[in-house]
Amino acid sequence: MTYDLIQTFKQIFKDDKVVLDSYKMDAGYYYLAKKDGTLQRLIVNRDNDSDDYELYKYLKVRDFYSKYLNSNKAIDTGYTEVIGKTKYSMLKKICSNNMYTLFFKNKFVEGLCNADNSKDSVNLEIFKKGINKYYESLGKLGSSKEEKILLSEFYNKEELENAKSKMINAFSLVYSDFMKEDKPKETWIKIFLEEGYDEYIKSANIYLTLKLFNTNSNNIKVDDEIYGVNNYNYGLNSKKPYLELKSTPYKVSSLISKEDVNILNNMYKWLYNNGVSETVLKLPREWDFKGIATEKSDILNKDLYLIKVAGNNGVARVDDFQYITNFTTKIREFVVNDTIRKVGNEFKTENIYGLEFYTSNTWIANNSKSEKNYLRDSYYDFENKVSKSIAISNWKKDFLKQNATIFFELFQKEDETNFVHNLNKFGVYLIENTIIEELEKNKQYISSPFNSINTMNLWIAYKKYFCKEGEVDEEMKINNVQEECFKILQDNKTIQTDEQYYFLAGQIAFYLLTQSKASKLTQDMTAPFVKAGNLKKLKDELRCLYEKYNYELYLQDDRFNNIFSQLLLQEPDTSVKDNKDLILAGMLSSNMFYTKKEDFEKKGASVHMETTVKKIDFERKVVFCEKTDGRTFEESYD
């Protein structure tokens, strides 16, 4: 992916112009220490507005070239001092990269923060000693054997001492000025010495040349070209960007040229400033890189580069990069019918983002009015926007964390392959756990498990949408089984198919669960049947539910006894796993055992039962039956 990015955007990022055009300064206090000994102050707010436009322009380019790449590549300021029992350290408290600038946060200096001094703060004199260490480290840049390969220019010691003297004086003036401010402890303070643009570039290049590679210990020179280890998107984590190879003659898998790593540096700066806040960056092929594409007219029906960007400790990280031809948000009509309860709760859309939002609300938020799109948040900022949310259950957070990439591919990249492959697994997992969650919440959810029904209706809609030509879609399958099972109860017929068997198993189980007199159902009452993975387990759980809720009502209910005995006696050919959809549909559909006998009669039903189950002996595994002519018999089940 790294080399794809380089080849695609090489001409755009071969110099700093595009990055500078979109660069924004951090909110904070900026001080220009002029050569006449005076200070000029600039305040930049979060909207990147300032109180002096000319000074803003002057400092913007100098700020751009003076920031360290990341905290692991900070100039060494590791001065420490023990006062009493307290050890003070200046490590990583200065965030600039050259002799003309000093960047730090006010929380690091006692007296510059309106809150109580934090454990990170040091007193004024220790901070000045840290500044001395900063300049000492600048003077050592390029001194090692590996670094000398890279550098042609080094710091002049006399110029460095002169800059240090000016900076310490400027720091004292800034300290006195900022003490008057009442600012929180995360405010940036940046000090600039008045110096020409070229001098800033020259000074910054010493640092950048040495720090662009991940490490300089593997640098090599081939035909006057220098190659080293890539510092961008090459890592396993922030402190071990690559693992050394132990079974090969070489330690690293690939090297990158100095020219290419400089292009990557510019590219990742631009991406951090422009792409981190976007779910996925959509850039038309002919984009001018002046900001990002925001209007529909900018991206619809155009060839696009899709770049998924995340922030990683102040640096961009590219998680995905793809080229899409003729991008569109329009899809063929997607329809969610109320297959399960048939109460008119339907949804239609021809927009992929509309479907994404509906899916997030139905499967994750369980709230049709939620304004948050947890699916989209999970693509690029799971830790901050999903994992910390109290609005969704922990099991849903785990589901999103594991499968965010698959949803990202479907909704943002128009790639349905992995989603379709995992659709059955997703559906069963989401419906099972939503049923359990609802039954545990409160008795009011039992008679009408709203979230579970919507969850299953959406799953059915997806299965129908992606159904292959010639196959029976899920909606038609469930509708047919519902009608067949109603007729079985209506006319006292025998269960003929596996589909009917599993659907009625779900009906029986839910009917038994709804007899509970508890205001809430615990997980051990609901989960075992819902998650039963084989036929023996399914029958055992039906038996347990029967024993737990064996009220007189059941002994007088011929329809229930007839179906229940058949479930115990019959042995379907297909597995529970392959019929989970029908078990769950049976649980969530309108329960036929609540239908009154007179309602069956209105539909032409016969209330005359040829065989009546009178008793079930679970210890002996025997069903006692009675024929309409009074004859009785018993039949064993396994």
Side-chain angles (χ1 to χ4, degrees), residues 318-366:
V318 177
D319 291 337
D320 199 12
F321 173 61
Q322 187 173 359
Y323 183 68
I324 298 289
T325 58
N326 194 30
F327 175 82
T328 179
T329 58
K330 185 177 176 61
I331 57 175
R332 58 190 172 89
E333 188 178 54
F334 187 97
V335 180
V336 181
N337 290 320
D338 193 4
T339 307
I340 297 301
R341 288 288 177 107
K342 296 180 175 58
V343 292
N345 185 21
E346 298 180 346
F347 170 79
K348 293 181 181 180
T349 186
E350 294 183 356
N351 185 286
I352 189 66
Y353 296 148
L355 179 57
E356 178 191 51
F357 190 67
Y358 182 83
T359 301
S360 176
N361 278 350
T362 303
W363 279 0
I364 308 302
N366 284 146

Side-chain angles (χ1 to χ4, degrees), residues 12 31 70 91 183 237 256 258 262 287 329 348 485 514:
I12 299 293
Y31 291 89
N70 59 62
L91 185 65
K183 303 302 293 181
N237 60 48
I256 189 171
K258 183 180 176 182
N262 188 63
W287 192 245
T329 58
K348 293 181 181 180
C485 289
T514 57

Side-chain angles (χ1 to χ4, degrees), residues 371-595:
E371 295 182 359
K372 290 187 68 63
N373 189 333
Y374 289 105
L375 270 181
R376 185 169 290 188
D377 288 342
S378 72
Y379 304 154
Y380 72 101
D381 199 6
F382 177 88
E383 293 302 325
N384 290 321
K385 295 192 174 182
V386 179
S387 67
K388 296 178 182 179
S389 173
I390 61 173
I392 57 176
S393 307
N394 287 333
W395 67 267
K396 289 181 181 177
K397 294 176 185 177
D398 292 339
F399 173 79
L400 275 184
K401 189 173 185 179
Q402 294 172 17
N403 300 296
T405 300
I406 295 176
F407 286 101
F408 173 77
E409 290 172 353
L410 175 68
F411 294 119
Q412 301 293 330
K413 295 174 61 177
E414 303 176 346
D415 184 353
E416 65 197 43
T417 308
N418 284 329
F419 180 81
V420 173
H421 179 73
N422 288 278
L423 183 54
N424 279 340
K425 181 178 74 173
F426 286 173
V428 170
Y429 179 80
L430 288 165
I431 298 164
E432 282 183 347
N433 284 281
T434 306
I435 289 173
I436 293 168
E437 187 174 71
E438 281 193 293
L439 291 177
E440 288 174 15
K441 278 185 178 180
N442 194 291
K443 189 69 180 261
Q444 65 176 314
Y445 289 94
I446 295 175
S447 60
S448 182
F450 177 79
N451 294 334
S452 304
I453 292 170
N454 285 343
T455 298
M456 187 157 195
N457 281 332
L458 179 56
W459 182 47
I460 293 169
Y462 271 119
K463 293 189 75 173
K464 180 178 181 180
Y465 190 80
F466 292 119
C467 183
K468 295 179 181 178
E469 187 176 351
E471 294 180 346
V472 177
D473 68 65
E474 189 74 15
E475 183 177 330
M476 185 180 296
K477 172 184 170 182
I478 290 175
N479 281 332
N480 290 341
V481 173
Q482 285 176 323
E483 292 177 8
E484 291 167 0
C485 289
F486 189 85
K487 289 178 180 179
I488 289 173
L489 267 72
Q490 185 183 57
D491 298 327
N492 190 30
K493 290 184 177 180
T494 303
I495 298 173
Q496 298 292 331
T497 67
D498 289 0
E499 287 83 0
Q500 296 167 1
Y501 179 95
Y502 287 112
F503 182 87
L504 287 168
Q507 288 268 295
I508 287 281
F510 202 80
Y511 181 60
L512 289 170
L513 283 169
T514 57
Q515 306 309 309
S516 171
K517 294 181 179 179
S519 60
K520 297 181 181 180
L521 295 177
T522 58
Q523 187 169 113
D524 64 329
M525 295 165 66
T526 58
F529 175 82
V530 176
K531 292 184 176 288
N534 57 63
L535 188 60
K536 183 180 183 304
K537 180 69 172 174
L538 189 78
K539 288 185 176 184
D540 285 347
E541 293 306 326
L542 283 174
R543 176 179 57 79
C544 287
L545 289 173
Y546 183 91
E547 290 179 331
K548 186 171 289 186
Y549 306 121
N550 187 12
Y551 303 119
E552 197 67 27
L553 169 66
Y554 299 146
L555 300 178
Q556 299 174 359
D557 191 335
D558 294 334
R559 292 173 302 154
F560 175 88
N561 291 335
N562 179 50
I563 297 301
F564 190 67
S565 63
Q566 290 188 61
L567 294 179
L568 295 179
L569 293 169
Q570 289 190 17
E571 294 288 328
D573 294 325
T574 54
S575 69
V576 170
K577 181 180 178 181
D578 292 337
N579 291 276
K580 270 289 184 177
D581 56 340
L582 290 162
I583 296 172
L584 296 172
M587 293 190 74
L588 297 176
S589 296
S590 297
N591 201 278
M592 299 175 189
F593 295 103
Y594 281 114
T595 304

Side-chain angles (χ1 to χ4, degrees), residues 25 73 78 101 107 110 162 188 200 204 238 268 356 378 410 468 596 604:
M25 294 165 70
K73 291 182 176 291
T101 53
K107 69 177 181 177
E110 290 180 0
N162 184 41
W188 276 109
Y200 265 86
S238 60
Y268 276 73
E356 178 191 51
S378 72
L410 175 68
K468 295 179 181 178
K596 297 178 181 179

